[in-house]
Amino acid sequence: YYKYILLLTSGQSMDKQTFLNRFLFQTQPLSADLRSADKSIFVNNKNLKKAAVLIPLVKRSNGLNIILTERALHLRHHPGQISFPGGKYEQSDNSLQHTALRETEEEIGILQKQITVFGTLPKLPTVSGFVVSPYLGFVQSEHSLKIDKQEVRSVFELPLEFLLNKNNFYLQHLTANKKRHFTYCIPYQNRMIWGATAQMLKNLQRQLSD
């Protein structure tokens, strides 16, 4: 029955219901794809700190878009890079999901009550010493942004249809811990998405594949 739904929706644009059908009824379990970021980068750090991000999806006239942020230039970790709203788990957080929602509201002003979380992607370790839990959520279209300039330089949206095109992903070399590794890169307009954010987007693409 689920395979029938996937076949039925495969020729349609990726609206909200089509997205849910593909994401929730995926018959193959998704594991983290670390080909682009070799596991050897992380094995020497046994004390990874917990963090969480939200992958926010919003309905627009052209279909679903993914909300992304450009990090402030003065930040200690990953200044200027493209990322999802999120951050470090705090003891006052009820859960990692709460971390993702709290940080989203603090960074870009989208209220927690305007977000409906419906799924997760595999946890992803990073070179900065975190293991990140990505949560996916639908954001109400009528939300308004309030950007915290101490954390975020700008906010933009990436069309989901752009993400689904595998030709928009490239593998590039990077050096971490004095070793050469690969990272996915996604050029979009005048921005370059790479590192952990690109890896999460690649995992999402795999999850949505027929």
Side-chain angles (χ1 to χ4, degrees):
Y1 171 72
Y2 294 153
K3 290 182 179 179
Y4 172 75
I5 291 178
L6 290 174
L7 289 172
L8 185 66
T9 60
S10 62
Q12 301 176 3
S13 61
M14 187 67 77
D15 57 17
K16 183 175 178 179
Q17 190 57 53
T18 304
F19 181 97
L20 285 173
N21 287 342
R22 290 197 185 184
F23 184 85
L24 298 177
F25 297 146
Q26 175 63 261
T27 56
Q28 297 296 324
L30 180 68
S31 58
D33 175 11
L34 294 182
R35 289 177 299 167
S36 67
D38 195 303
K39 292 180 181 180
S40 62
I41 298 178
F42 314 106
V43 293
N44 294 328
N45 192 337
K46 298 181 180 180
N47 298 311
L48 294 176
K49 298 178 287 290
K50 293 188 293 184
V53 299
L54 179 72
I55 302 178
L57 294 110
V58 60
K59 182 180 178 181
R60 300 301 189 196
S61 59
N62 63 336
L64 290 175
N65 283 0
I66 298 173
I67 300 173
L68 289 158
T69 69
E70 181 185 6
R71 292 171 61 82
L73 296 177
H74 63 265
L75 293 176
R76 178 181 178 185
H77 296 296
H78 312 295
Q81 291 186 17
I82 305 303
S83 66
F84 296 111
K88 182 181 177 182
Y89 172 80
E90 303 290 349
Q91 291 185 349
S92 57
D93 292 335
N94 297 326
S95 63
L96 282 165
Q97 177 176 315
H98 180 248
T99 301
L101 295 176
R102 173 183 57 77
E103 288 280 353
T104 298
E105 183 170 346
E106 292 176 0
E107 289 181 6
I108 59 176
I110 300 178
L111 304 178
Q112 298 182 40
K113 64 182 181 181
Q114 295 178 309
I115 303 168
T116 302
V117 175
F118 62 87
T120 63
L121 290 176
K123 295 179 180 180
L124 189 69
T126 71
V127 293
S128 53
F130 290 89
V131 56
V132 182
S133 297
Y135 291 86
L136 293 98
F138 289 117
V139 176
Q140 295 178 10
S141 299
E142 61 273 17
H143 73 271
S144 59
L145 296 177
K146 185 178 180 181
I147 299 175
D148 179 0
K149 291 297 185 179
Q150 294 301 313
E151 297 283 341
V152 176
R153 186 181 185 189
S154 65
V155 177
F156 68 99
E157 296 183 8
L158 174 74
L160 185 62
E161 290 298 325
F162 185 90
L163 169 68
L164 295 177
N165 185 346
K166 296 180 180 179
N167 293 327
N168 292 326
F169 286 75
Y170 303 89
L171 277 175
Q172 298 287 345
H173 288 101
L174 66 83
T175 300
N177 297 337
K178 299 181 180 180
K179 294 182 180 180
R180 268 186 108 195
H181 304 275
F182 288 94
T183 178
Y184 285 109
C185 293
I186 311 167
Y188 178 68
Q189 296 181 348
N190 61 338
R191 297 179 170 94
M192 178 65 73
I193 307 167
W194 62 283
T197 302
Q199 183 64 62
M200 294 175 200
L201 289 171
K202 182 63 178 179
N203 286 344
L204 177 58
Q205 182 195 77
R206 293 173 60 224
Q207 180 73 11
L208 297 173
S209 298
D210 290 337

